Amino acid sequence: MTELFPLLLEGTLVTIRITCVAALLAAVLALLAATAKMSTVRVLRWVANIYIEIFRGTSLMVQLFWLFFVLPLPPFNISLSPYTVAVMGLGLNIGAYGAEVMRGALLAVPRGQIEAAIALSMAPVDRFFGIVLPQALANAIGPATNLLIELLKGSSLVSLITLADLTFRANQLVENTFRSAEIFSIALVIYFVLAQAINLSMRLLERRLNRGVMKASL
């Protein structure tokens, strides 16, 4: 049994790294797409809507295959490493879902606080980052937790583009040892533990954000 752990640990570290970097990309894209969709500039709204609908309306696996197998072909001629494709594919996909979550969270910020900030002559940037965004982030934590767990589970698809993540290593060990019950059971437990770590981390972040919002409102 112990001989299985080095490769599974190696794959787990790859999965964690992909999940963390893709989550950062998804968060940035979600915020940009949400604010663009709420913009008064029509072109920005169109671009945001196109991005959201394409990546929410198509399969993550097909998106990864398209980035990995189609982009290197003419007329694109863009070759990306498996790691880059994994991060981009997962980040773009989850970011599209996160954009709607973030838009709802932004709209949930009480209008009265925004009007009060305007009355105090706060600059739009200061108003957004000082009042609106902290409250919106606190509102978005619950749905965002679910999306991060979906991102973690979706990362198993990167094994199909030759990236040696946890699922790839598990399949590799099964092919070599034929101990599928043990290996996939261990992989299942690892994914569960990682999901619970995300859940706990987001709960702690939610408490911290809520404390910050309460202090700011006093």
Side-chain angles (χ1 to χ4, degrees), residues 5-15 17 164-166 169:
F5 286 109
L7 269 183
L8 289 175
L9 177 60
E10 185 179 324
T12 300
L13 293 176
V14 172
T15 292
R17 187 164 72 248
D165 72 322
L166 175 56
R169 291 303 188 188

Side-chain angles (χ1 to χ4, degrees), residues 56-87:
R56 288 201 312 169
T58 56
S59 164
L60 173 57
M61 184 171 67
V62 175
Q63 292 166 19
L64 290 171
F65 282 175
W66 197 92
L67 291 171
F68 192 68
F69 294 111
V70 178
L71 274 186
L73 302 176
F76 307 106
N77 298 313
I78 301 173
S79 295
L80 302 174
S81 68
Y83 178 80
T84 303
V85 169
V87 169

Side-chain angles (χ1 to χ4, degrees), residues 18 22 25 60 64 67-68 81-92 151 155 158 161 163:
I18 291 170
L25 175 60
L60 173 57
L64 290 171
L67 291 171
F68 192 68
S81 68
Y83 178 80
T84 303
V85 169
V87 169
M88 283 184 59
L90 289 166
L92 286 165
L151 193 158
S155 70
V158 304
I161 56 171
L163 202 61

